[in-house]
Amino acid sequence: MNKLLLVLATLSFFSVSAFSADLVKRCEVNLPAMEAGDIDIKMDIKVFKQDGVLSSTIVQTVDGVSMPLESSAEIMSFEIREGLKANLESEDLNQGEKLIVHAMTVEADKDLSKIFSSGIKNLKNVRKVNTYLIDEETNMGSATIVEAMDKKGKIIGSFLGGFVVRPCK
């Protein structure tokens, strides 16, 4: 009986703790099959803040099976200069500019643009981004939600960037 009460108290504590975290950002994306025989992947990425600490959950659904993953998160803001072009060799870019240039480069490629897109009508209009880095960047890239704003500070769209480029729903 005591063990049952302890289990119930623990579950109750974790349930209350989970609900006290504030949702900061959410990005749902579909990663389409790239080749015949591949399976689409659906991702639901959420960034939470609780007691000043950021965390994230990613739920990947493949063929009807969901796989949750919890990780760290980091939010950063960057100013985006005018005149950026689809050129990954650009130097002296801040991290936000690198994400925008990467998306421009992907969208400029005739083959990649058939599958990947930021969903933002004109990336050249982006003047500021808030980035939500999930976990950490690796040599393969990152999973970063990019919230793009125009020169007036109006949000013009969000996309998953850093490795793949897909619009958030």
Side-chain angles (χ1 to χ4, degrees):
M1 178 71 165
N2 285 341
K3 286 183 181 180
L4 177 62
L5 290 175
L6 178 62
V7 168
L8 290 174
T10 303
L11 287 174
S12 174
F13 171 78
F14 284 115
S15 296
V16 169
S17 295
F19 287 115
S20 65
D22 294 322
L23 179 65
V24 176
K25 186 70 177 172
R26 183 176 188 178
C27 180
E28 293 178 90
V29 297
N30 291 324
L31 303 177
M34 294 184 58
E35 297 179 8
D38 285 352
I39 298 173
D40 291 351
I41 299 172
K42 293 181 181 181
M43 296 176 67
D44 186 5
I45 305 167
K46 297 176 184 174
V47 177
F48 297 96
K49 187 173 190 177
Q50 182 175 2
D51 299 326
V53 177
L54 294 168
S55 63
S56 65
T57 60
I58 302 172
V59 177
Q60 290 186 353
T61 304
V62 180
D63 205 21
V65 178
S66 294
M67 297 166 279
L69 171 69
E70 293 186 17
S71 189
S72 62
E74 183 178 359
I75 302 173
M76 295 169 279
S77 294
F78 299 96
E79 298 294 322
I80 307 299
R81 292 174 282 181
E82 283 188 54
L84 295 180
K85 295 182 173 125
N87 178 2
L88 290 177
E89 301 302 318
S90 299
E91 295 189 25
D92 194 34
L93 299 176
N94 65 45
Q95 189 61 31
E97 291 171 331
K98 288 178 185 177
L99 289 161
I100 294 298
V101 167
H102 177 253
M104 288 175 163
T105 304
V106 167
E107 291 180 357
D109 183 281
K110 69 178 181 94
D111 293 324
L112 289 176
S113 64
K114 293 176 185 174
I115 301 170
F116 300 109
S117 165
S118 68
I120 295 174
K121 192 172 188 174
N122 189 349
L123 287 166
K124 291 182 179 186
N125 292 334
V126 177
R127 291 292 164 267
K128 182 178 179 182
V129 296
N130 290 329
T131 62
Y132 301 80
L133 174 65
I134 309 303
D135 199 19
E136 60 187 44
E137 189 168 1
T138 68
N139 61 349
M140 301 253 326
S142 66
T144 303
I145 302 170
V146 180
E147 181 180 69
M149 291 164 262
D150 64 14
K151 64 182 176 183
K152 294 180 181 178
K154 179 184 173 201
I155 296 172
I156 56 176
S158 295
F159 63 93
L160 180 63
F163 181 62
V164 299
V165 178
R166 293 291 293 169
C168 296
K169 292 183 183 177

